[in-house]
Amino acid sequence: QRTAGQLVIQPSPHTGSAALAALMGLREGQAITEGEARIAAAPLLGRGEFERVEISVREPGPGSGREGEREVVVTPIEAAWARSRLRLGLEVVSDFADDNRFIIAASHTLAWANDWGAEWRTLARIGSQRLVSTQFVQPLAPGSPWFIGPGAQYNASSVDIYHDGRRERRLGYEYTTATLSFGRVFPSWGAAQLGLERRTGRARSLIPEEAGPADSTVRETVIRAQFQLDTLDSLALPSRGSLLTVWLEKSSAAHSATSHSTSTVIGLQAFRAGPWDGHFYGEWARAAEGTAPLSLGGFLRLSGTPRESLDGRSVLLARLVMARRIGEMPAGLGGAVRLGYSVEAGRGYGGEESVRFDQMRYAGSAFTVVDTRFGPLFLAVGSTRGGRGAVYLFLGPFW
């Protein structure tokens, strides 16, 4: 344990020695003890792509010309199920009136697409929303935290336009996006990136249906900056860790001298109180003109309120979510079964209107969540004070 040897890193079928050494913060050939190698290998296990990391010490055999040169050998063993990961999701929402939606989603992540440690991410959705998104995240050197990420996306859906909480019309839209991102990953806690996007889209009125060609086409260039701190232990119902996301965006339409700027701040603090897991969540979004990039309505976003029915130049949302384990599913079918509730407050503010907490809208929900092989399965009932209610069914993380 205390005798040093030269570090040797064995590549796995899909990884390179140089990238593995960089992720461990080491370099091949340096003097290191077996204990130091075990500590340095911890980040590899934390990535979830390796089943185990074997550490061994070997002496070169007689006649090799290297007698006495001890080697500390690090051998990562890939997890067969982790390099290519597929996750499925389902969203069903109904207010038992005219807001009935479903979305089936699938996401795929291919880790170690090359021996530098590239990652290929793909997301697809069908149903009320049609989306295909793909991004290739390429480190700038083997195992480097700096990366470049080209990507493309197609998105199509319909959205209801509200005024004072009343539906006025329904628009159908579709757009394509080409993206180039540059950033840095901070191992175990977050990332920062800058991005350049080119968007082309069109919208048309579905209700009321307009006679003749009524499509509105938009072409714009978007510059965005994002910082994210994420130490949560779970996306669905975290009990430890924090989340902080800051998003700044500036867009300019083609053949226009004006630009549109927005800013968003999202924070989440998870905690555990006896048998209860909970979190506090808050978000604030604002646009220099027009509407903020976030709107309210939907599960945990003023539950019971129709989705995206509340907006404004500024949007504010806060909530408390608590859940308690009440049982376990049979082995092979799933994991923990929990009951929980949420208390929510939020509002959209327009123009020069100041934020006033006494004008907030209040909502709440009660839910059951079951851990399954495909992710958490939520069944929830939500209602907004003085408004309507809705029933929600989700499979997989939804925020």
Side-chain angles (χ1 to χ4, degrees), residues 281-346:
Y281 175 94
E283 71 178 38
W284 172 84
R286 180 170 175 80
E289 58 181 18
T291 58
L294 298 177
S295 57
L296 300 179
F299 184 42
L300 299 186
R301 303 188 59 78
L302 294 185
S303 299
T305 298
R307 64 186 180 100
E308 300 180 355
S309 62
L310 298 178
D311 57 22
R313 183 170 295 184
S314 298
V315 169
L316 186 65
L317 174 68
R319 69 171 177 251
L320 167 67
V321 177
M322 300 291 292
R324 178 171 181 165
R325 183 188 298 250
I326 60 170
E328 297 284 337
M329 291 287 289
L333 295 180
V337 180
R338 298 180 177 89
L339 285 178
Y341 65 88
S342 69
V343 179
E344 309 152 37

Side-chain angles (χ1 to χ4, degrees), residues 195-338:
L196 179 64
E197 296 182 358
R198 178 64 176 176
R199 297 176 185 167
T200 301
R202 61 173 185 159
R204 66 185 186 278
S205 178
L206 301 178
I207 303 176
E209 186 175 359
E210 298 179 355
D215 288 4
S216 176
T217 302
V218 175
R219 294 181 177 86
E220 61 180 1
T221 301
V222 181
I223 300 174
R224 56 180 173 79
Q226 181 181 8
F227 170 81
Q228 185 173 64
L229 181 152
D230 186 353
T231 60
L232 298 178
D233 60 347
S234 168
L235 287 177
L237 287 174
S239 60
R240 297 189 306 273
S242 304
L243 172 71
L244 175 64
T245 300
V246 179
W247 190 295
L248 305 175
E249 189 173 285
K250 184 175 183 179
S251 61
S252 56
H255 310 297
S256 175
T258 61
S259 60
H260 181 63
S261 300
T262 63
S263 53
T264 304
V265 179
I266 296 174
L268 186 152
Q269 179 60 53
F271 62 90
R272 176 166 290 172
W276 293 86
D277 293 337
H279 69 257
F280 291 105
Y281 175 94
E283 71 178 38
W284 172 84
R286 180 170 175 80
E289 58 181 18
T291 58
L294 298 177
S295 57
L296 300 179
F299 184 42
L300 299 186
R301 303 188 59 78
L302 294 185
S303 299
T305 298
R307 64 186 180 100
E308 300 180 355
S309 62
L310 298 178
D311 57 22
R313 183 170 295 184
S314 298
V315 169
L316 186 65
L317 174 68
R319 69 171 177 251
L320 167 67
V321 177
M322 300 291 292
R324 178 171 181 165
R325 183 188 298 250
I326 60 170
E328 297 284 337
M329 291 287 289
L333 295 180
V337 180
R338 298 180 177 89

Side-chain angles (χ1 to χ4, degrees), residues 29 53 68 82 98 115 132 139 164 209 221 252 274 339:
V53 179
D98 60 348
D115 57 9
V132 178
D164 292 333
E209 186 175 359
T221 301
S252 56
L339 285 178

